[in-house]
Amino acid sequence: MAEVPLEPEAFVRDVLASLTENLERVVGIESARGFIHLVGQQIGLKVDESYKRSLGVAQFTPAQLAEVLVDLKDRIGGGFSIESVSDSSITLVNNRCPFGERVLGRTSLCMMTSNVFGLIAAESFGEASVGLEETIAGGATGCRVVVHFGKSVEGEDRYFKLDEADRP
């Protein structure tokens, strides 16, 4: 058999990056973000349930949430760390995107991060907003993500705790 460098994780990343690129090209960036928002919502709910079950908690504290988000991104190949934690927000920084170089110029892929982070935060705090202050996809050397709890911050993506009827 031919020596072909195909690995499952890299293949899935390539598929997602190609899908995102084509969505952006065919339906536009805003519509692509809408589709990715739905995927992020579904993934966020699964991740939220898994971490809460594993930790034996019904809701996260701000410090627990920061650790969960860093652990999640580390497990999928990101390089996130905690910059700060308060009762009203957490700030995370990142030096490595789970999508690798395929993320460059594909800012809609960042919606996966903001949607998953926002949904998990809203599930514990009722409402959350996520600001992507810097992104590798946008050309920065790293990412800076701020998750606010409670009242939404203008200009940021906003998330509310979902009612059972709203869950996918």
Side-chain angles (χ1 to χ4, degrees), residues 3 5 9 11-12 17 26-27 40 45 47 49 73 81 96 110 113-114 135 139 142 148 154-155 159:
E3 288 292 319
E9 290 179 17
F11 180 78
V12 171
V26 173
V27 302
L45 287 170
V47 169
E49 288 175 18
K73 285 298 188 171
S81 60
R96 183 179 63 252
C110 299
T113 296
S114 68
T135 65
H148 295 273
E154 187 174 327
Y159 305 88

Side-chain angles (χ1 to χ4, degrees), residues 78-80 93-97 136 141-143:
F80 276 79
V93 292
N94 176 38
N95 61 10
R96 183 179 63 252
C97 182
I136 294 170
T141 58
C143 301

Side-chain angles (χ1 to χ4, degrees), residues 75-96:
R75 289 175 186 265
I76 63 170
F80 276 79
S81 60
I82 300 167
E83 181 178 282
S84 66
V85 178
S86 73
D87 288 339
S88 61
S89 68
I90 59 174
T91 302
L92 303 174
V93 292
N94 176 38
N95 61 10
R96 183 179 63 252

Side-chain angles (χ1 to χ4, degrees), residues 16-93:
L16 185 57
S18 293
L19 176 63
T20 301
E21 178 180 7
N22 284 300
L23 272 173
E24 288 178 0
R25 190 171 36 82
V26 173
V27 302
I29 290 177
E30 287 308 311
S31 292
R33 287 180 177 177
F35 286 114
I36 292 170
H37 172 82
L38 296 173
V39 173
Q41 185 178 24
Q42 291 174 329
I43 299 297
L45 287 170
K46 287 179 97 170
V47 169
D48 182 63
E49 288 175 18
S50 295
Y51 274 96
K52 284 177 178 171
R53 185 174 42 254
S54 177
L55 295 171
V57 298
Q59 292 183 317
F60 297 123
T61 65
Q64 286 173 321
L65 177 62
E67 292 291 336
V68 162
L69 299 179
V70 167
D71 183 68
L72 162 64
K73 285 298 188 171
D74 283 349
R75 289 175 186 265
I76 63 170
F80 276 79
S81 60
I82 300 167
E83 181 178 282
S84 66
V85 178
S86 73
D87 288 339
S88 61
S89 68
I90 59 174
T91 302
L92 303 174
V93 292

